[in-house]
Amino acid sequence: MFFKFAGDLLHLVREYKVVTLAAGLAVTVPVFVWLVRSRKADPVPEIPLACPDQMHWFLGHAPLMQDMLNGLHKICVEESKVDGLSKFKLVGLTAVSVLKAEHVKAVLNASNYRQRIPLLAKHMDMFLGRRALVQLMKDEWKVMRKIMARAFNWEFLKETVVDIGEVTNVFIKALSAKNGQVCDFWPLMKCITLDVIGKSSFGYDFSCSATLKSSPVAVAFEWMLEDSMIRQFKKTMDPRCWFYSYPSDANKKHAECAAIIRQTLADIISTRTAMRSDKGGPQHKDILKYMLDAHEEEKVAADTDTLVDNLITILFGGFDTSSITLTYALYMLTQHRDVEQRVVDEVASVLGKDGQPTYDILMNQLPYCTAVINEVLRLYPPAPVTVRTLEEPLDLQVCTGRGGPAGDAGGAERTVTIPAGTMMYIPIWWIHRSPHNFPDNPDEFDPDRFYSPERAAKIHRFAHVAFSGGPRDCVGRRFAMLEAVGVLALLARSFRFEAVEGYR
C-alpha cells in the first residue's frame, strides 16, 4: 500500500513538473502552478474575460462547470461578446470558446491535440485507461486512430446490422410482457445498447435485453463513470480523490468495479487470441477481430492493456451515449405525435410488418428516421462539449458588430489571432442551439430541417458536431447512426409510447 501511495504522489509531482515534494504538497503544488500561469500576459486581450466576479482564485471558472449545461451557457453564450467568442480560465489555463460554425470548423481542423489538465486527466486515466484512443495525443494517437478506423470498416458495419436487429427483437419480445406498464426507459435502452456493443465489439452476449436487467459489467461501468465526474468536477480539490490508493470507501469501490470490467474484457481477449491461433475454429467478425487484424498488418504490438483500454472506450461510446440518444428520441415521439406517425409510416412502407433492417435500408431507405435521430442529436448531444489545444496560432475572422447570438448582423470584419497553447472550448450543446447556426427556431424539435433537401443544404457542416469534427471526429459515428436508426425503426413499429404526465 505504501508503494502505491508513493507512486500516486510521484505521478502528481511528475504531472506538475515539480522537483521537490514538500509536506504541504496538496496545497503548494496547485498554488505554485497557478502563480506561474497567472503571471503570464493575457494571450487574447481582444476578447473580454467572462464574468470575472465569479472566478475562483485557483480553479478559475471551473466551479461554474459543476452545473455543466447552465455553466456553459453562462460562460460561452451569455458572455460571448465578440461574434460568438468567449474567454475564461480553467486552473490557470486560458480558454476560448466558439459558437459559430465557421469558427468551429477552423478550430477542429486546426488541431487534434488536447493538453492534459493534471487534476482532471488522472481521473480519466483511471476510468478509461492511459492507452485509450481518447486519451492519446500526437503520434500515439495517429497510430491508434488508424487501427481503430480500420476496425470500423464497411464489412464490420454490415455484420453489425444483424446484431442490431437480433438484439432489438429479443428486447421487443421481453418488453411486450410489460405492455401498459410504466417503465424508466433510459435503463431499458441501456439493455439494448450494451447487448449490441457486446456482440458487435467482442462477440459477448450480456443478455440484458432478454431479462431487461443490467449486467455486473454495466453496473460497474456506470458507477465508475459517475465517480469520475464527481472527482473531476465536484470534488476537484479533495486530496482523497487524487490518490486512488487512499483507503476510502469510494476508492475501494473503484478498485472493485475496475477489476470486474477489466478482468471480463481481459478474459474475452485471451479467449479470442487463442481462437485466432486455431485457424480452423470459429472467427467472429467484430471490432476486436478487426483491431487484432489491424495491429498485425500495421506491425503494432497488441498488448492486453491497450486492447482493454480501447474496448472500454468503445463500451462507453456504444453503451452510454447511444442509450441517451435513443431515450430522447422515444421521448420526442411522445411529445410530437405527427413525427411519430411519419416514422411509423416510413418504417411500414420499407420494412412492412416483419421485415428486418439491412445495411442498405438503414443507410439509404429510412431518411425520415435518420432525420429524427439527427435532430435529437442536435438538441440533445450526449457529449455536450469537446476541447482542443492549439499547437499553432489560429486566425479567426470576426465581425465587430456582432456580439452574442442576438447581436447586430452588421459590422466590419477583423482578425483575432488565438496564440498557440490556448485551450479551445467547443460547447456542442449550445453550438447546436445557437441562432448563429440555426436561425429558424433553434430550440424547437423539427426533423424536417434535416429531411428537407433544401433546408438540409443550408446547414453548415460544422453547425452539427454531435460526433465532433475534423481529424479527431468520432471513429464510431457510422456505427452509432446505424444503431440509433435501426433500433428506433423497430421499436416504433412495435410499440406506441406515452410519457408519464408531468415528466420532462
Side-chain angles (χ1 to χ4, degrees):
M1 181 64 74
F2 169 81
F3 292 107
K4 286 185 178 181
F5 187 74
D8 275 332
L9 290 175
L10 290 173
H11 174 88
L12 192 61
V13 172
R14 184 168 58 253
E15 288 277 1
Y16 277 105
K17 298 178 175 61
V18 177
V19 178
T20 59
L21 182 61
L25 178 68
V27 175
T28 57
V29 170
V31 170
F32 173 78
V33 175
W34 176 79
L35 286 174
V36 170
R37 288 175 173 167
S38 64
R39 289 177 181 271
K40 294 181 180 179
D42 186 346
V44 199
E46 301 96 327
I47 305 174
L49 186 65
C51 42
D53 57 325
Q54 298 185 48
M55 283 179 55
H56 185 273
W57 68 273
F58 166 56
L59 297 175
H61 294 87
L64 291 176
M65 299 292 189
Q66 291 185 23
D67 183 352
M68 178 66 76
L69 296 181
N70 289 329
L72 286 173
H73 187 271
K74 174 68 176 176
I75 295 169
C76 303
V77 180
E78 294 178 25
E79 296 290 322
S80 59
K81 296 183 172 66
V82 181
D83 205 14
L85 304 182
S86 176
K87 181 178 69 183
F88 55 102
K89 293 281 188 178
L90 287 177
V91 196
L93 292 175
T94 297
V96 173
S97 69
V98 297
L99 286 177
K100 293 177 63 177
E102 51 262 45
H103 293 160
V104 175
K105 177 182 178 181
V107 172
L108 292 178
N109 283 335
S111 176
N112 58 44
Y113 174 63
R114 291 194 294 261
Q115 181 178 342
R116 289 165 61 87
I117 300 177
L119 283 175
L120 307 182
K122 169 74 179 288
H123 303 307
M124 290 305 293
D125 289 347
M126 297 299 293
F127 173 41
L128 297 177
R130 187 65 183 88
R131 303 295 301 173
L133 178 64
V134 295
Q135 296 292 85
L136 298 177
M137 302 297 157
K138 299 188 177 180
D139 289 343
E140 287 184 317
W141 171 80
K142 290 178 182 178
V143 172
M144 186 54 64
R145 169 72 187 211
K146 186 176 182 180
I147 288 172
M148 295 300 290
R150 294 184 64 170
F152 280 92
N153 58 53
W154 178 78
E155 186 177 1
F156 159 72
L157 292 173
K158 284 188 65 176
E159 290 289 334
T160 204
V161 170
V162 177
D163 293 328
I164 292 169
E166 290 178 351
V167 168
T168 307
N169 288 328
V170 169
F171 176 86
I172 288 170
K173 182 178 180 180
L175 189 64
S176 296
K178 292 181 175 291
N179 191 29
Q181 297 183 28
V182 175
C183 302
D184 184 351
F185 246 74
W186 188 18
L188 291 179
M189 289 300 94
K190 290 179 180 179
C191 291
I192 293 180
T193 57
L194 183 62
D195 282 353
V196 169
I197 203 66
K199 282 192 169 186
S200 62
S201 294
F202 36 84
Y204 188 85
D205 187 1
F206 288 102
S207 300
C208 298
S209 296
T211 62
L212 302 183
K213 295 180 180 179
S214 194
S215 76
V217 170
V219 172
F221 183 87
E222 289 188 89
W223 187 93
M224 288 185 68
L225 174 60
E226 182 179 1
D227 177 67
S228 179
M229 295 301 103
I230 290 172
R231 291 175 191 257
Q232 289 183 74
F233 301 111
K234 293 186 177 180
K235 296 184 178 180
T236 313
M237 298 300 292
D238 187 342
R240 292 170 298 179
C241 291
W242 302 344
F243 305 125
Y244 283 75
S245 54
Y246 180 82
S248 66
D249 291 340
N251 287 338
K252 292 176 183 177
K253 180 71 172 179
H254 182 279
E256 293 171 3
C257 291
I260 291 172
I261 297 171
R262 290 188 165 273
Q263 190 59 55
T264 299
L265 295 177
D267 289 346
I268 291 171
I269 292 167
S270 177
T271 300
R272 293 294 295 281
T273 302
M275 289 171 62
R276 286 172 69 85
S277 301
D278 180 8
K279 301 299 182 181
Q283 301 294 323
H284 297 271
K285 292 184 178 181
D286 52 27
I287 291 177
L288 180 54
K289 174 198 180 304
Y290 292 116
M291 283 176 64
L292 292 169
D293 288 349
H295 273 284
E296 289 179 2
E297 292 164 8
E298 296 295 328
K299 295 180 172 56
V300 177
D303 62 276
T304 299
D305 286 341
T306 297
L307 291 170
V308 168
D309 288 354
N310 283 287
L311 288 179
I312 291 175
T313 302
I314 293 169
L315 192 66
F316 174 52
F319 158 58
D320 192 72
T321 59
S322 295
S323 66
I324 293 171
T325 299
L326 284 166
T327 302
Y328 273 119
L330 294 178
Y331 174 71
M332 297 312 288
L333 294 190
T334 71
Q335 303 303 297
H336 301 271
R337 291 301 182 189
D338 58 326
V339 173
E340 179 188 44
Q341 190 58 53
R342 290 174 67 180
V343 167
V344 170
D345 290 345
E346 181 177 76
V347 173
S349 68
V350 175
L351 294 180
K353 291 184 178 181
D354 302 307
Q356 293 301 307
T358 64
Y359 179 80
D360 179 65
I361 286 174
L362 295 185
M363 288 294 293
N364 303 309
Q365 299 183 43
L366 295 173
Y368 192 71
C369 290
T370 301
V372 168
I373 294 299
N374 275 320
E375 180 69 346
V376 168
L377 286 168
R378 185 187 72 83
L379 283 175
Y380 306 103
V385 64
T386 191
V387 178
R388 298 289 187 272
T389 303
L390 296 180
E391 297 184 271
E392 297 179 359
L394 177 66
D395 290 338
L396 296 179
Q397 300 301 314
V398 302
C399 183
T400 56
R402 277 182 275 189
D408 181 9
E413 286 202 350
R414 64 187 175 93
T415 300
V416 171
T417 300
I418 314 295
T422 303
M423 178 185 292
M424 301 298 297
Y425 247 60
I426 314 294
I428 297 171
W429 186 282
W430 297 113
I431 288 168
H432 288 183
R433 294 168 179 255
S434 174
H436 282 307
N437 307 318
F438 295 95
D440 299 328
N441 304 314
D443 292 322
E444 291 187 9
F445 179 71
D446 180 12
D448 279 319
R449 75 174 84 238
F450 293 99
Y451 182 69
S452 163
E454 294 79 14
R455 293 180 65 186
K458 296 178 182 178
I459 300 174
H460 193 292
R461 164 65 184 85
F462 284 80
H464 189 285
V465 285
F467 297 110
S468 190
R472 201 174 181 122
D473 64 351
C474 175
V475 71
R477 62 194 181 282
R478 288 185 299 167
F479 168 83
M481 286 299 297
L482 285 172
E483 180 182 34
V485 173
V487 173
L488 175 67
L490 292 175
L491 291 181
R493 181 175 68 178
S494 301
F495 301 107
R496 185 175 187 272
F497 300 98
E498 297 276 358
V500 174
E501 185 176 353
Y503 175 79
R504 286 184 61 81

